[in-house]
Amino acid sequence: STWGHLNQMSNRPSRILSAFRFLLPGARGAKFPPFHELDDQFVRVHAPYSFDSQVEGPFIWTPLLQKVPPSFELGRRLTRISRVKDWRPTDTEDLVMAFLDDALQGTGFAVTRNYLAKPSPSCGFHGRLDFLVYNATNQEAKGLPMVPVILARRRINGLGGFEYDDFSIAEATGVLEWTLINSIAGDPKTSVARCIQTNGHSWRLLEASVTGQLRKTKRFGFDGDPHKKIYGDIPLQEVVLGMIKFSLNQPTPGEAALADAYKFIDERRHMDELTPEARQEMERRRRRWNFLPSVIHDFFFKYK
């Protein structure tokens, strides 16, 4: 089985990750390039998602993110980071870590940095994850759910020579596929896997499901404006903290009740009674298209 094989191939896990050994399959014989080298064409061929309608599709996922007020300690850390003059990649990591620490307080989840996600016979995707959030308290959960957080890659534009942050959807898709397969190995009841992609100032959440669906939110933050930062934007900070908590897939009773309420309201939008004029028009069209097969005819015109 996948679970058995992943355990057999695991090699000396660190003390932090000993609770979920299945995350350490053997690294030999990797046939796929690492996450950060994946391109659109490779994902189009090897990922089980529709590239045009899902991976690069125009549809935006709008989950019910609950805003979470930032703590005083987060404000202090952001103030300190905002004063850095000579910005380095480690400063971006510190910025992201500040939000992760604040959002994960009291949740029982922990973060490991620079995690090596290795391939296995059941999953060819592999590479380094900048951060891996995992369940550190529930031994029965074997570290699940786990949420990779990956940084946007700094690229140089070939035409203008300037640097920009590349939120590679190919890299995120590979990370999601690795997370989903390994999560199912640890818990066959797993239905979705989530990951977060950020440069510290812009954030987005992505989700893949066992039904073959891939969803992504818009990028919350400052797209295309390198001068705007997250330090003083409290509403954006609240959304980011809520996104991190939502990614853990551990809804509180209040959040679950709110989701059910929105679902009910959304369904009721399509259950309004027809007006007399609308019923007359529906009847006229029903008679006009009466020659259609009954299955098709009832699908379009049978209204209760």
Side-chain angles (χ1 to χ4, degrees):
S1 65
T2 302
W3 164 257
H5 184 84
L6 290 175
N7 274 287
Q8 290 173 9
M9 297 297 290
S10 62
N11 56 6
R12 297 186 184 178
S14 67
R15 186 173 302 175
I16 296 176
L17 303 178
S18 61
F20 46 110
R21 292 171 59 98
F22 67 89
L23 295 180
L24 300 171
R28 299 176 182 175
K31 297 181 180 179
F32 289 9
F35 297 135
H36 69 279
E37 294 182 6
L38 295 175
D39 57 25
D40 292 350
Q41 183 58 34
F42 191 89
V43 169
R44 184 188 294 271
V45 174
H46 294 280
Y49 310 104
S50 170
F51 191 86
D52 295 321
S53 64
Q54 291 182 312
V55 178
E56 283 287 2
F59 303 106
I60 298 299
W61 177 33
T62 54
L64 296 174
L65 303 180
Q66 305 295 304
K67 290 186 176 181
V68 177
S71 67
F72 177 75
E73 178 60 28
L74 175 61
R76 290 182 58 183
R77 293 177 69 175
L78 293 182
T79 299
R80 178 180 57 80
I81 295 173
S82 68
R83 294 172 178 168
V84 174
K85 300 299 182 182
D86 185 16
W87 193 263
R88 298 168 300 175
T90 54
D91 296 314
T92 300
E93 296 175 6
D94 291 342
L95 176 59
V96 174
M97 195 67 196
F99 281 97
L100 293 177
D101 285 341
D102 202 64
L104 299 178
Q105 281 186 350
T107 63
F109 282 74
V111 185
T112 183
R113 303 173 72 161
N114 200 30
Y115 179 77
L116 179 60
K118 298 180 181 178
S120 70
S122 57
C123 179
F125 292 101
H126 66 98
R128 289 198 176 274
L129 305 173
D130 300 290
F131 306 89
L132 181 64
V133 179
Y134 64 95
N135 192 334
T137 57
N138 188 348
Q139 295 295 325
E140 295 181 358
K142 303 182 180 68
L144 298 174
M146 56 180 175
V147 182
V149 180
I150 56 176
L151 299 179
R153 307 302 169 191
R154 296 293 291 174
R155 312 285 191 193
I156 298 179
N157 183 285
L159 298 177
F162 59 87
E163 287 189 333
Y164 68 98
D165 290 319
D166 180 19
F167 284 73
S168 170
I169 188 62
E171 179 179 4
T173 303
V175 169
L176 276 174
E177 188 65 6
W178 179 90
T179 306
L180 183 60
I181 292 175
N182 283 275
S183 296
I184 293 173
D187 181 5
K189 295 181 181 179
T190 298
S191 59
V192 298
R194 293 169 178 165
C195 82
I196 294 174
Q197 195 172 28
T198 179
N199 63 357
H201 300 282
S202 295
W203 299 67
R204 74 172 172 184
L205 177 66
L206 303 97
E207 178 187 88
S209 71
V210 295
T211 60
Q213 186 178 31
L214 187 145
R215 304 189 290 184
K216 56 185 183 295
T217 67
K218 71 171 188 177
R219 280 162 55 181
F220 294 91
F222 309 108
D223 284 349
D225 192 339
H227 303 290
K228 291 185 178 180
K229 307 297 181 183
I230 198 173
Y231 309 124
D233 195 324
I234 301 299
L236 178 57
Q237 295 174 21
E238 293 175 339
V239 171
V240 169
L241 294 173
M243 176 188 296
I244 296 171
K245 282 187 174 292
F246 180 87
S247 70
L248 305 179
N249 203 15
Q250 306 285 305
T252 64
E255 291 171 341
L258 182 62
D260 290 340
Y262 274 104
K263 182 178 180 181
F264 175 77
I265 293 172
D266 188 60
E267 291 176 348
R268 287 295 299 175
R269 289 189 307 157
H270 306 286
M271 298 174 63
D272 294 334
E273 289 290 333
L274 287 175
T275 63
E277 293 79 8
R279 287 186 178 277
Q280 288 181 353
E281 178 64 17
M282 287 285 289
E283 182 62 18
R284 185 185 68 80
R285 295 186 181 185
R286 184 186 67 80
R287 290 196 298 267
R288 178 180 178 184
W289 298 98
N290 198 42
F291 63 91
L292 292 173
S294 59
V295 174
I296 300 177
H297 188 272
D298 290 344
F299 177 81
F300 286 100
F301 299 106
K302 194 172 184 179
Y303 186 93
K304 295 183 179 180

